[in-house]
Amino acid sequence: MSVLSIEPRAVDDARVVAQLDRFARRIAATPPGTCAVATQVALLEAAVAQTCGKCVPCCDGLPKLADLLRHVRDGEAGPADLDQVRALATLARDASDCAIGYEAGQAVLDGLDAFADEYASHVGQGRCQAGVGQTLPCETDCPAHVNVPAYIALVGEGDYEGAVNMVRKDNPFPTACAFVCEHPCESRCRRALVDAPLNIRGIKKFACDQAPADRCATPPALPPTGRRIAVVGGGPSGLTCAYFAALMGHAVDVFEMHAQLGGMMRYGIPAYRFPRERLDEDIRAILGAGDVTVHANARVDARELRRLSVEYDAVYVSVGAHAAKQLRLENVEAEGVMSAVELLGAIGDGEIPDLAGKKVVVVGGGNVAMDCARTVVRAGAEEVSIAYRRRLEDMTALRAEVESAIAEGVEMITLESPVRVEVDDRGRVSALVTQPQMIGPVRGGRPAPLDARKPERRIEADVILLAVGQDVVSAPFEEAGMQVARGRLVADAALAAPGFDNVFVGGDCQSGPATVIRAIAAGKVAARNIDEHLGYHHTLDCGVSAPAARANDRTPTGRVNVAERPARERRRDFEAVEVEMTLEEARQECARCLRCDHFGCGSLDEGRTQYV
């Protein structure tokens, strides 16, 4: 009779899992610019280590495949070897008994197609193609390429004004990005190899809290050039272009259709996330940086755009995406149905609706839907729900925004697709009728919802808010001769508008609705390219440099997160929800920076990505 044990048969499993957690952090911190072939080799080697030895295509085929890929990586393979790689990968995919083998084979096949140019360079030239090479993760992944290690070091040294000016070297909205940036700079932070990515946004916010942007002197403008630039749209992209162009010595006129500047930062982001007085700090600093004149309540139509293109040396169109997308639903025009853009825009002008006692349903799963839901909670709504046709984990909203909305009492009704709006006998909204969904195959990178064999659901509602996307008002610009594709204004890689010799376009109206930092990046590129177009090559000095790097503190330390006021308090007002970091927290977080600009690839030629 055998004796059983409660201990696992694999004695090292727990320790292996700990090592795999470490491996997962390494994968997450894969540096930008890494060779695609080298990445595929590393992933395939991991698959080789996992094979159980049962089936030949996996246990024998994958090691042979990995050996061939190593020869490709090292520039020692020819075209025939690539053919053999494809044949072995196909065999592993089609004949392996489990996912360890067939998924590894499919990954190699996908890579051969996705990175065909890189494979061709390795086989034909014996090296990576141009542009491949590690760069500084945080700076590269920031669309504006802000020198992140430098301003973190300045904060650590207590030079908060210097930190703000270091950010402004590439981004004139340090405060805005301290509050609302989606912080792509943190996505591949090398500190994850030790414990967790730095809270880069939180550190920036601490600096701006100590040194408000409008109290930090901007660099002096260069001598006047006599050139005039018109900026159409006073949002993050337009004002960024205006800021850098003015510092270069050009005279800038900003034409804004609203009464106040800020674009979607003012008319799309609620005040509890980004207080208006803090937005105004950035704007005041920008307007004081050079020769910038603002024309508010100025709508630019086709005739006006033609005039500007004639009277100004250059024009930058950055009108954003302020129009709401609509759903094709029965009774969508009923009283009580409105767009998220309409609601948030009105609140941006101080018109807060009275929703006391109302039942509100928000349709959508992005950040705008969360903003709407959390806003109507503060407007006194009795019940607030979000109806979304996919799963909670498929929402495009930041996870922190979803969690905050739930904490404030917003109900998430997932896997429900809107079918029609139900109205009462007076034509007012009474309910949103939805069709239950089930999750299906992955399409476009996300599992697609399918109609489930379940009865329709009725969600009672007094107000329905549609947060399903934004559109560009492109008709006036198309009438003026600008090219439009899929509702967006067309520009080349340098943001020049085809058909014009002095018109540039960027931001949401060109890329489609995106993030504040991407709009800022476009404005920065436009300013540089307009300067070159006008025959100049100005360089700007932010007046501050990075402190000398200290030795790394490699002690694993928890990441300091930016705290929020308790949900039961913050849901009652529009005051800022985030709580300022303490000095001790900020110093500890800054000390976690590994200064990759000094110790890593950032110290190498072309390891940095900077301009302007």
Side-chain angles (χ1 to χ4, degrees):
M1 180 177 178
S2 61
V3 178
L4 301 179
S5 171
I6 63 171
E7 298 299 325
R9 192 170 90 177
V11 295
D12 285 332
D13 257 2
R15 288 185 287 271
V16 169
V17 168
Q19 289 298 309
L20 290 176
D21 287 343
R22 195 172 194 167
F23 182 65
R25 293 202 305 271
R26 180 165 291 277
I27 294 296
T30 298
T34 300
C35 169
V37 177
T39 300
Q40 287 219 279
V41 170
L43 294 176
L44 186 57
E45 288 173 341
V48 170
Q50 294 171 338
T51 183
C52 70
K54 176 187 175 185
C55 53
V56 172
C58 180
C59 71
D60 292 342
L62 293 189
K64 177 62 176 175
L65 187 56
D67 188 54
L68 281 170
L69 280 183
R70 280 190 286 268
H71 283 291
V72 175
R73 178 196 63 192
D74 298 338
E76 300 169 351
D81 296 299
L82 274 188
D83 293 338
Q84 192 175 0
V85 166
R86 187 175 291 276
L88 272 175
T90 302
L91 179 66
R93 179 196 65 186
D94 295 343
S96 293
D97 195 36
C98 80
I100 288 175
Y102 62 69
E103 193 282 329
Q106 184 63 58
V108 172
L109 292 171
D110 289 344
L112 287 171
D113 294 333
F115 308 115
D117 291 344
E118 183 65 17
Y119 276 98
S121 182
H122 278 257
V123 171
Q125 307 297 325
R127 61 177 181 270
C128 294
Q129 60 183 334
V132 174
Q134 284 192 24
T135 54
L136 202 63
C138 52
E139 184 182 282
T140 299
D141 287 338
C142 170
H145 305 307
V146 173
N147 189 339
V148 175
Y151 80 71
I152 288 176
L154 288 163
V155 174
E157 297 289 340
D159 185 359
Y160 309 122
E161 184 172 349
V164 169
N165 280 323
M166 180 59 73
V167 175
R168 278 202 298 222
K169 176 181 180 297
D170 301 282
N171 170 8
F173 282 98
T175 316
C177 288
F179 276 88
V180 301
C181 186
E182 293 188 324
H183 44 82
C185 53
E186 299 177 15
S187 61
R188 289 188 278 187
C189 175
R190 200 163 290 170
R191 183 71 197 200
L193 294 168
V194 179
D195 38 50
L198 262 71
N199 190 336
I200 296 173
R201 183 181 73 84
I203 293 171
K204 187 193 292 108
K205 183 176 182 299
F206 180 81
C208 293
D209 287 341
Q210 312 313 307
D214 56 349
R215 300 181 192 174
C216 299
T218 57
L222 297 177
T225 63
R227 300 300 187 98
R228 300 171 66 217
I229 299 172
V231 173
V232 182
S237 194
L239 289 179
T240 296
C241 180
Y243 173 79
F244 286 117
L247 287 182
M248 293 172 185
H250 308 306
V252 182
D253 284 309
V254 178
F255 297 85
E256 168 56 41
M257 69 174 182
H258 291 104
Q260 301 182 76
L261 297 172
M264 293 304 286
M265 292 186 297
R266 184 181 301 276
Y267 294 101
I269 299 175
Y272 65 82
R273 283 186 59 207
F274 188 17
R276 298 296 175 257
E277 61 272 16
R278 303 304 305 271
L279 169 61
D280 291 335
E281 292 171 6
D282 280 346
I283 292 176
R284 281 193 291 269
I286 290 169
L287 298 183
D291 186 357
V292 181
T293 303
V294 176
H295 306 270
N297 297 311
R299 286 188 176 272
V300 174
D301 56 15
R303 179 179 179 181
E304 180 69 358
L305 181 62
R306 294 191 195 99
R307 181 187 72 81
L308 295 178
S309 67
V310 171
E311 295 184 4
Y312 286 81
D313 297 291
V315 179
Y316 180 51
V317 178
S318 56
V319 293
H322 290 263
K325 286 187 176 179
Q326 296 294 329
L327 287 178
R328 294 180 179 178
L329 299 177
E330 182 183 344
N331 296 322
V332 75
E333 301 294 336
E335 181 181 348
V337 180
M338 63 188 302
S339 73
V341 173
E342 182 183 351
L343 173 76
L344 296 175
I347 291 176
D349 278 328
E351 301 173 11
I352 300 175
D354 181 9
L355 298 176
K358 302 287 187 181
K359 295 178 180 179
V360 181
V361 177
V362 180
V363 178
N367 285 324
V368 174
M370 300 306 140
D371 286 344
C372 269
R374 298 178 69 186
T375 294
V376 296
V377 165
R378 288 160 173 78
E382 179 183 339
E383 294 180 9
V384 182
S385 304
I386 287 180
Y388 184 56
R389 67 192 185 104
R390 301 178 190 262
R391 302 170 303 176
L392 191 70
E393 56 266 39
D394 299 321
M395 287 183 168
T396 58
L398 290 174
R399 187 55 45 200
E401 288 297 309
V402 177
E403 292 172 355
S404 292
I406 292 172
E408 292 171 5
V410 177
E411 181 185 13
M412 300 292 168
I413 304 176
T414 57
L415 290 173
E416 295 287 346
S417 180
V419 173
R420 62 183 176 278
V421 174
E422 188 177 289
V423 297
D424 60 20
D425 54 7
R426 293 176 292 179
R428 296 176 180 173
V429 168
S430 60
L432 176 68
V433 178
T434 62
Q435 171 61 51
Q437 304 288 291
M438 63 172 285
I439 209 65
V442 173
R443 295 174 187 161
R446 286 195 297 170
L450 305 170
D451 286 354
R453 293 181 179 178
K454 297 179 181 179
E456 293 179 344
R457 177 174 182 174
R458 183 178 183 275
I459 306 172
E460 289 188 9
D462 302 302
V463 176
I464 296 175
L465 296 171
L466 303 179
V468 292
Q470 296 153 242
D471 279 329
V472 179
V473 180
S474 59
F477 304 97
E478 188 171 15
E479 183 183 342
M482 296 184 72
Q483 295 182 21
V484 175
R486 301 180 65 182
R488 304 172 187 173
L489 304 182
V490 174
D492 64 17
L495 299 185
F500 293 82
D501 61 4
N502 68 337
V503 177
F504 296 74
V505 58
D508 286 0
C509 66
Q510 181 263 335
S511 66
T515 60
V516 169
I517 188 61
R518 284 190 62 188
I520 289 168
K524 176 181 168 184
V525 169
R528 163 58 63 203
N529 291 344
I530 288 172
D531 188 65
E532 295 285 336
H533 168 76
L534 296 177
Y536 301 92
H537 186 73
H538 289 115
T539 58
L540 302 175
D541 183 2
C542 66
V544 63
S545 58
R550 299 182 179 183
N552 286 166
D553 180 355
R554 304 177 184 182
T555 305
T557 306
R559 167 188 163 109
V560 174
N561 290 324
V562 178
E564 292 189 340
R565 295 159 52 207
R568 63 178 178 273
E569 295 178 7
R570 67 179 191 247
R571 70 191 306 273
R572 298 173 182 169
D573 57 51
F574 283 87
E575 300 299 315
V577 298
E578 290 189 335
V579 178
E580 184 179 324
M581 272 189 186
T582 66
L583 177 61
E584 292 77 14
E585 288 174 327
R587 284 177 174 171
Q588 176 176 298
E589 197 63 12
C590 289
R592 295 176 61 235
C593 180
L594 299 177
R595 286 302 299 270
C596 300
D597 60 325
H598 179 81
F599 295 109
C601 62
S603 62
L604 302 176
D605 183 39
E606 296 187 352
R608 307 295 301 281
T609 306
Q610 293 196 52
Y611 45 80
V612 177

